[in-house]
Amino acid sequence: DVYKRQLINKANSTMVIATTVAAFALVFGLVAGKTLASQMSYQNRVIGAKKTAVNRLKADLAARTTLKNAYDDFIAQNPNVLAGDRNGSNNKDGDNAKIVLDALPSKYDFPALTTSLEKLITDQNLKIVGIDGTDEEATQAENATSPNPEPVPMPFQFQANGSYESIQALVDVLQKSIRPFQIQTMELTSPGDNSNMIVNIAAQTFYQPEKDLKITSQVVK
């Protein structure tokens, strides 16, 4: 009986050990399988994201080539969009890229604006009495670039003296200028006759910040 009891105890011990080992192997297998499945899922997401990025890059490269060809054709046009000489130096001359940049600068530059106004006014045989406005260069420096740029107004005022015909010519030039000018108010006074008038104009023009093209990275989780 003692011998049989020893055999039974030994068998029970063997069974417990076998069961423990089997349970450990099962749990290890489940954990390892779950980890492996999670890693496979993650790798599949990484591969999918990389394929999407590669396809986007290929599309961007194709678009770049198309854009470059269109740009080269645009600046090569002669006469230009203003019917001027692409290689000339008169008001309507220059390549189309220069004309576009002159129409809507990408930098805020109030002193350059006043210089342009001085030329426009004096070219119409008018005497400049004064040009006024607020130079917001420090404030506008924060808007140097933007992911979605919009035109930013630049208000100004000026006073000029001359004939009524010269004032008419100035207004016509402002309306037909490459750079857009919006006349908001205009006041005419005449201390004498139509050959000696004073015009006060409040207006605004615009500049548009450069587009901010940021290359970002994405973390795949």
Side-chain angles (χ1 to χ4, degrees):
D1 291 339
V2 175
Y3 179 71
K4 288 182 179 180
R5 188 181 298 275
Q6 289 177 346
L7 290 177
I8 292 173
N9 290 337
K10 185 177 180 181
N12 288 338
S13 298
T14 302
M15 184 176 296
V16 170
I17 293 173
T19 303
T20 302
V21 171
F24 176 80
L26 177 62
V27 172
F28 177 81
L30 290 174
V31 173
K34 183 178 180 181
T35 302
L36 181 60
S38 177
Q39 286 294 325
M40 289 180 62
S41 177
Y42 171 75
Q43 292 298 332
N44 287 335
R45 291 196 297 272
V46 171
I47 292 171
K50 286 184 176 179
K51 287 182 178 179
T52 300
V54 169
N55 291 336
R56 179 62 181 269
L57 180 60
K58 290 179 179 179
D60 289 346
L61 289 174
R64 181 203 63 177
T65 301
T66 302
L67 179 61
K68 181 182 182 303
N69 292 337
Y71 176 80
D72 290 342
D73 291 341
F74 180 63
I75 64 173
Q77 291 179 8
N78 197 17
N80 59 30
V81 292
L82 298 178
D85 184 357
R86 177 181 180 274
N87 302 309
S89 58
N90 293 322
N91 290 338
K92 293 184 178 181
D93 293 341
D95 64 58
N96 288 332
K98 178 181 181 299
I99 292 172
V100 171
L101 290 176
D102 288 344
L104 206 58
S106 60
K107 303 292 184 183
Y108 180 91
D109 192 341
F110 194 81
L113 171 61
T114 59
T115 301
S116 298
L117 288 172
E118 288 174 0
K119 185 176 188 308
L120 288 175
I121 294 169
T122 55
D123 281 353
Q124 311 312 314
N125 298 316
L126 290 166
K127 179 181 178 182
I128 299 173
V129 179
I131 299 177
D132 193 19
T134 303
D135 191 344
E136 300 178 345
E137 183 175 357
T139 303
Q140 295 299 332
E142 300 176 359
N143 301 323
T145 61
S146 171
N148 298 297
E150 296 288 341
V152 179
M154 299 175 64
F156 61 90
Q157 307 85 37
F158 68 86
Q159 188 179 73
N161 174 248
S163 69
Y164 180 77
E165 290 76 14
S166 295
I167 294 172
Q168 279 187 315
L170 174 62
V171 172
D172 186 58
V173 166
L174 289 174
Q175 291 177 334
K176 294 179 179 179
S177 171
I178 294 172
R179 185 168 186 174
F181 289 100
Q182 290 184 347
I183 298 177
Q184 297 169 313
T185 63
M186 183 172 67
E187 179 183 355
L188 285 172
T189 56
S190 176
D193 53 29
N194 287 352
S195 64
N196 184 25
M197 302 189 72
I198 296 176
V199 60
N200 287 281
I201 291 180
Q204 64 179 6
T205 185
F206 303 87
Y207 86 100
Q208 182 167 302
E210 297 178 350
K211 185 173 180 62
D212 185 8
L213 299 175
K214 289 185 177 180
I215 299 176
T216 60
S217 59
Q218 179 181 355
V219 178
V220 179
K221 299 180 179 180

